[in-house]
Amino acid sequence: MTRHIALLAYPNCQLLDVSGPWQVFASANALSPEPLYQLTLIADAPGPLMTNGGLAVYASHAYADMPQLLPLDTLLVAGGSGVMDKRHDQHMLTHLREIAPQVRRLGSICSGAFLLAAAGLLNGQRVTTHWRHADQLAKEYPALSVELDALYIQSGDRYTSAGVTAGIDLALSLVEADHGADLAGRVARELVMFLHRPGGQSQFSEILRCQQDAGPLRRLLDHLHADPGGAHSLESMAALMAVSPRHLTRLFKRHLTTTPGTYLTQLRLEQARLALLDERQAVSLERLAERWRLGGAEQLRRQFQRYYGVSPSVYRQRFGAAATPTLLETSPCP
């Protein structure tokens, strides 16, 4: 069965929110002996559409034509700066409300969640969006249960994803649901994806997080990242900063919205995660926990599950260098 997938775009949408998922489904077609997906780009009107990066895409149909496209298996709404204006387009919102009950899967990429929320199509659902917009989405649409740091979430027949590249992860998960992990893994290899991320995984790692302006903590963060497995204590970290432990805790909460201990644990978990991806480091969890000062194997297992949304053994099996690429099922944010 060929499934009809439509992507909804608008002026100043994010180019990768459209092209990323589109290419996932197109690659699935290319790797199959018969077409698996029919792809349609929908916009205000047929014709060229300028994205917010200055590159135009071409829409074949207007959103008023959506009833003519039925049966429609999946409808995904792109995000981008233009969504803030588009969510006030009552004509589009009306069409979305009318078509939603006739679509098997309705979802959004990045800030496209604002458009579905404005149409009332995410009420009572668990959702996510780009971390930069998550607080705004939760504040402006209190009927939604916004999870701030998930890559993508399935809630019933509604699907939402975080920023830009997370739309690719979401599309891969849909291919897996439709046609199995083997095809999804082959598509990921075709796209030269380094890692297939589960829905509940954090949107960005501690290594990326520390690249933000940490103010007076910069010196300490550089020290911790240089030696994550060192014998760091609250007292020793405070001494390095020439402040009291209590004041150091206040600085972490103010600049990084976390505590020194939590930050250090997440940094060490990041090192353990990288070791799991390296087949040359096929060591036991007990050794990893000892190397990175994460307690015993069971403690490492619990913390890893809580932070990454998957167990270390499954993570190594699915994502390790010697593993056959595949995908994990959507899981809730830990």
Side-chain angles (χ1 to χ4, degrees):
M1 180 181 66
T2 301
R3 301 176 188 272
H4 195 170
I5 309 288
L7 284 94
L8 179 62
Y10 43 82
N12 291 316
C13 67
Q14 168 66 249
L15 172 64
L16 197 54
D17 286 2
V18 176
S19 61
W22 184 287
Q23 188 58 56
V24 168
F25 297 118
S27 294
N29 282 341
L31 293 171
S32 173
E34 57 187 24
L36 301 176
Y37 298 103
Q38 175 188 347
L39 298 173
T40 300
L41 184 60
I42 302 172
D44 291 353
L49 171 74
M50 190 62 67
T51 66
N52 61 8
L55 185 65
V57 294
Y58 192 93
S60 60
H61 290 78
Y63 53 75
D65 298 332
M66 285 192 287
Q68 303 172 23
L69 300 176
L70 296 172
L72 195 59
D73 180 86
T74 303
L75 175 63
L76 297 176
V77 178
S81 57
V83 76
M84 296 308 172
D85 290 331
K86 205 63 186 172
R87 62 180 172 156
H88 301 299
D89 182 341
Q90 295 302 319
H91 192 45
M92 174 179 276
L93 297 182
T94 297
H95 282 292
L96 279 173
R97 294 187 192 106
E98 291 175 349
I99 202 70
Q102 304 176 73
V103 177
R104 184 171 72 95
R105 297 183 299 208
L106 179 63
S108 61
I109 314 299
C110 193
S111 56
F114 281 86
L115 197 54
L116 294 183
L121 297 174
L122 295 178
N123 291 346
Q125 305 293 329
R126 295 171 47 247
V127 302
T128 193
T129 188
H130 191 288
W131 59 267
R132 189 184 301 277
H133 305 298
D135 287 339
Q136 180 184 357
L137 184 65
K139 180 179 179 180
E140 296 186 4
Y141 300 98
L144 281 56
S145 177
V146 180
E147 300 192 9
L148 303 182
D149 199 24
L151 282 176
Y152 57 88
I153 290 176
Q154 175 187 352
S155 184
D157 60 355
R158 300 294 190 260
Y159 298 76
T160 54
S161 66
V164 287
T165 58
I168 296 176
D169 293 292
L170 173 60
L172 279 167
S173 76
L174 298 181
V175 170
E176 181 182 18
D178 293 341
H179 301 289
D182 179 67
L183 177 61
R186 288 164 56 206
V187 171
R189 289 199 300 274
E190 187 72 16
L191 299 179
V192 197
M193 292 185 66
F194 171 68
L195 183 66
H196 324 132
R197 302 174 293 181
Q201 183 171 314
S202 175
Q203 287 186 30
F204 49 98
S205 72
E206 288 309 307
I207 291 176
L208 292 177
R209 191 188 300 265
C210 80
Q211 291 176 352
Q212 301 175 83
D213 182 11
L217 292 170
R218 172 60 57 192
R219 179 187 173 199
L220 174 59
L221 297 190
D222 290 344
H223 177 72
L224 296 178
H225 281 262
D227 184 20
H232 307 297
S233 65
L234 180 60
E235 289 72 21
S236 67
M237 289 188 283
L240 182 67
M241 292 290 296
V243 298
S244 70
R246 179 175 295 181
H247 185 59
L248 181 65
T249 299
R250 285 197 294 265
L251 288 174
F252 264 82
K253 289 183 177 179
R254 181 185 310 157
H255 293 280
L256 297 176
T257 65
T258 189
T259 66
T262 298
Y263 186 92
L264 183 58
T265 295
Q266 292 173 345
L267 182 58
R268 289 168 170 171
L269 283 171
E270 187 85 347
Q271 301 305 310
R273 181 186 68 80
L274 293 174
L276 290 171
L277 295 175
D278 189 347
E279 62 181 349
R280 297 168 300 176
Q281 300 185 46
V283 297
S284 67
L285 289 186
E286 193 67 47
R287 289 284 300 277
L288 278 180
E290 179 182 357
R291 170 67 182 87
W292 299 112
R293 297 178 183 268
L294 290 166
E298 184 57 34
Q299 185 176 355
L300 169 56
R301 187 178 292 107
R302 288 197 304 268
Q303 292 181 115
F304 198 96
Q305 177 78 43
R306 184 181 307 117
Y307 188 64
Y308 292 110
V310 64
S311 71
S313 60
V314 171
Y315 191 92
R316 173 182 273 163
Q317 176 187 0
R318 298 293 181 90
F319 300 151
T324 300
T326 184
L327 283 172
L328 294 175
E329 67 278 2
T330 305
S331 57
C333 189

